[in-house]
Amino acid sequence: MDKSKGQADRFAEGSHLKHHNYIAVIVSLIVAIIIFAVPADAQNRFRPVVQVGDNVVTEYQITQRTRFLSLLRAPGDPRNLARDQLINESIQIEAARRGDNLPGEDQILRGLEEFASRADLTAEEFIAALDQEGVGAETYRDFVTAGIAWRSHVQDSFRGQARDIPDDLVNRTLARTGTDGGLRVLISEILLPATTPETTRASRARAAEISALSGEEAFATAARLYSVAASRANGGQLNWVAIDSLPASIQGLIQGLTPGQISRPIELENAIGVFFLRDLERVRAGSPETLSIAYALLRVPEGPAVASRIASDIDTCDDLYGIARDLPEDQLLRTSQQMSELPADIRALIPGLDVNETSTAIIRNNQSTVLMLCDRQQAFESTVDFELVGARLLNVRLGTIAADYLADLRADTYIADLVN
């Protein structure tokens, strides 16, 4: 009985395998028929070149991206760059999909317009220009979509982690590098809802009316009546902001205004925005020499061991007053000077110190010392340098996190060259 059952099972298993083999043969024949029915040049054109996880990059995609990058005058070998970009973008899109960060159609259309605006063209005009050079609209769309998806995914995943930038780190960066200068703006905003097709149509019409207004008072009234932003209660007014910290699409819009002007409407995520430029401040370039440095220097005749003990016991510059209370006045120096005016030995150490951090490396008149950094201050009245450097540090930190994250994703993804 058991023997007969085993034979039956083996027979059933063999039949099952034969059935699958039969299906595989039929599928192979169908694929072969399709391949041979397609002209050879088309076969080469659409052949898979690289497998990236469950996806493939085709010859057509690489050729199209190569032409696109050549038109953008990208540095290096455009074909190698195209291949690498498409591998990365396949990985990035997959990560964004898992994180539910894929952009909607409205976001993609805004991205197409924003990218085209860099060439002073509309998206439609840019696509037409690409078409004349043999680059399809889908190639442009895929490039922009991948960029939006990756930025959204990285910001959603890591912005909180990257945002924690201590003020003293910004000051230390200013002390090392200075700033290229920049612009800060005083703007008012009106945000209109665009969450459904109906509200979007109504808000577009309203935004066009607001854009045609004249003067700050009229804009403030419209903000109180129609804006859905928290600033509506204040007539849409926002505080001074470094323009570098604004989204790229809004930066370009604001930079095209002069004080007293109202912007054209711009479509944002789930909203349509109109902005009024109240004022602007352009900050000249600064250098480390323009910073004001507050420091304390205590001479310690007893030698380096005592100097080290004092350095470990104090928390702020004020603590040195208690230590020097019964000492000659000239033994403790506390002052504030511009970086360019500091003694050479102090100037060499300051960029490496945090506020309230000490060094015992300086020797004065054959005596040990304790140097403590009390503060770094902006030499200019404006705070825009601080804001600009903070925004740039945030972007740099996000960029570093994103690069490391992509490298990890790529290392964990199966990538195979299918043509060599």
Side-chain angles (χ1 to χ4, degrees), residues 60-75:
Y60 176 74
Q61 289 175 294
I62 293 178
T63 301
Q64 282 280 294
R65 181 60 66 86
T66 300
R67 289 178 185 168
F68 181 63
L69 293 174
S70 297
L71 292 173
L72 297 180
R73 298 179 180 176

Side-chain angles (χ1 to χ4, degrees), residues 98-121:
R98 290 195 303 268
D100 197 25
N101 297 121
L102 291 179
E105 184 63 21
D106 287 347
Q107 287 176 281
I108 294 171
L109 292 177
R110 287 197 300 271
L112 295 174
E113 290 290 350
E114 191 276 326
F115 191 90
S117 69
R118 302 175 193 178
D120 293 325
L121 298 173

Side-chain angles (χ1 to χ4, degrees), residues 47-53 55-58 83 414-420:
R47 66 174 176 168
V49 174
V50 186
Q51 183 170 346
V52 185
N55 303 308
V56 295
V57 176
T58 66
R83 182 182 184 278
Y414 175 74
I415 301 172
D417 193 328
L418 301 177
V419 294
N420 293 323

Side-chain angles (χ1 to χ4, degrees), residues 188-191 219-238 278:
S188 298
E189 64 176 358
I190 293 177
L191 299 182
F219 189 91
T221 299
R224 293 187 181 96
L225 289 174
Y226 308 119
S227 182
V228 295
S231 59
R232 64 179 295 175
N234 199 32
Q237 290 187 358
L238 301 175
R278 291 163 21 230

